[in-house]
Amino acid sequence: MERRAPKMLVDYAWYQDGIGMIGLVPKVKLPPLTRIVEDYLAGGMVGAIKIDMGAIETEDIEVTLAEPNPSTIKMFGLTNGEEKPFTFRAAYQGPGAAVDRFKVQVYGRVYGLDLGELERKKLTEVPCKITWTKLKMEYNGEVLIDIDLLSGKEEVGGVDRRAGINAALGIS
């Protein structure tokens, strides 16, 4: 049993297309990952179970920019097949001096910008939505999740969850 105080997010950085956006991104909402399941209930069962349908429900990344950023606005013109890298890097620290590294990198495109209300002498917030086709999550260099929606790749904890499916389809 593990007993300790939780590690805290002490800082983070956001990168779009390899360029650091230090000081320009006050808020990031990483995409929740959800497996698509279906309730199944048959004769003799006392209750329904959720059956994995072999697919992932993709949700967007939501980034709040501190200004109408020209390089981000230009990415609104990207179409399918023109995805760019977006990277979230974070430092987590608990008791003591050790710092853990957390990284989420996606390949995606900006499809939503809200220039909203702009008011003098108030900080600007520009919410931005990014859809993705590839996602890789690492903790201290260990790959936890590696998903490529278009190539049928889904590795979780080092296990290729689609190996059998892809072999049956002749996809390598």
Side-chain angles (χ1 to χ4, degrees), residues 38-49 51:
E38 187 173 305
D39 285 342
Y40 178 75
L41 179 63
M45 295 174 64
V46 73
I49 61 171
I51 295 181

Side-chain angles (χ1 to χ4, degrees), residues 24 26 64-69 114-127:
L24 299 175
T64 301
L65 304 172
E67 64 185 20
N69 184 275
D114 182 359
L115 299 176
E117 296 180 17
L118 305 174
E119 191 174 336
R120 202 170 155 251
K121 296 194 287 180
K122 297 240 179 182
L123 291 173
T124 302
E125 285 197 347
V126 179

